[in-house]
């Protein structure tokens, strides 16, 4: 019991990195907003993955256009700038482990590359392409949102 006489309960809340930290809430006044913070952090993780995908896939596509499709050289320069931006965007992820962030991003890259190919080049993925991308996206969720000790 707390000094006010209210019974205090320990409640574990999920966080973006999956580490569950104890929060003490009172039966009289439960903590409001803590789930909201976890949801916003999760949205931030996926938002950063999408922005990173646009930078990396877009940068690679610009270089491809310049070199393989014999388009202007400045497209390759734009691709190099986009790829450099990708490197900085990845550092904004809330998880502090480089290997985890980049491994999870690999799944986003696979799925994003297929989407980019459809939108930019008229590529038509097979069902195996789509199944593979779905498996990769499940892997992203496991890597980034699994509970950590």
């Amino acid at each position: 019991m707390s000094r006010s006489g209210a019974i205090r309960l320990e409640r574990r809340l999920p966080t973006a990195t999956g580490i569950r930290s104890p929060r003490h809430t009172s039966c009289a006044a439960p903590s409001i907003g803590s789930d909201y913070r976890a949801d916003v952090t999760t949205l931030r993780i996926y938002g950063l993955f999408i922005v990173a995908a646009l930078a990396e896939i877009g940068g690679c596509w610009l270089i491809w256009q310049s070199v393989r499709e014999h388009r202007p050289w400045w497209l390759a320069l734009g691709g190099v700038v986009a790829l450099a931006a990708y490197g900085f965007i990845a550092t904004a992820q809330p998880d502090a482990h480089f290997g985890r962030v980049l491994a999870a991003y690999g799944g986003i890259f696979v799925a994003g590359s297929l989407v980019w190919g459809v939108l930019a080049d008229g590529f038509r993925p097979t069902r195996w392409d789509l199944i593979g991308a779905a498996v990769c996206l499940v892997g992203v969720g496991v890597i980034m949102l699994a509970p950590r000790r």
Side-chain angles (χ1 to χ4, degrees):
M1 281 217 192
S2 68
R3 289 184 183 176
S4 67
I7 298 173
R8 303 207 37 104
L9 301 174
E10 184 177 294
R11 184 172 143 204
R12 297 199 180 270
L13 298 174
T15 63
T17 60
I19 299 170
R20 298 181 182 273
S21 60
R23 298 269 192 213
H24 296 283
T25 59
S26 168
C27 286
S31 175
I32 297 174
S34 56
D35 290 334
Y36 170 78
R37 283 189 296 276
D39 290 343
V40 168
T41 302
T42 301
L43 288 174
R44 179 176 177 219
I45 288 170
Y46 286 110
L48 285 168
F49 277 142
I50 290 167
V51 172
L54 291 173
E56 185 177 17
I57 298 165
C60 290
W61 186 80
L62 288 171
I63 292 170
W64 181 284
Q65 292 300 304
S66 179
V67 175
R68 297 281 302 257
E69 304 295 329
H70 307 291
R71 309 277 304 274
W73 64 268
W74 49 266
L75 287 176
L77 182 61
V80 169
V81 170
L83 288 168
Y86 156 73
F88 286 97
I89 294 166
T91 66
Q93 285 288 354
D95 194 301
H97 301 288
F98 173 81
R100 180 178 296 139
V101 169
L102 269 289
Y105 176 69
I108 302 294
F109 180 80
V110 169
S113 295
L114 292 176
V115 171
W116 189 283
V118 168
L119 297 176
D121 290 328
F123 172 71
R124 293 185 47 97
T126 67
R127 71 175 162 185
W128 299 109
D129 295 329
L130 299 175
I131 291 169
V135 168
C136 290
L137 291 175
V138 168
V140 171
V142 170
I143 290 170
M144 292 304 291
L145 301 175
R148 310 268 187 248
R149 288 188 169 205

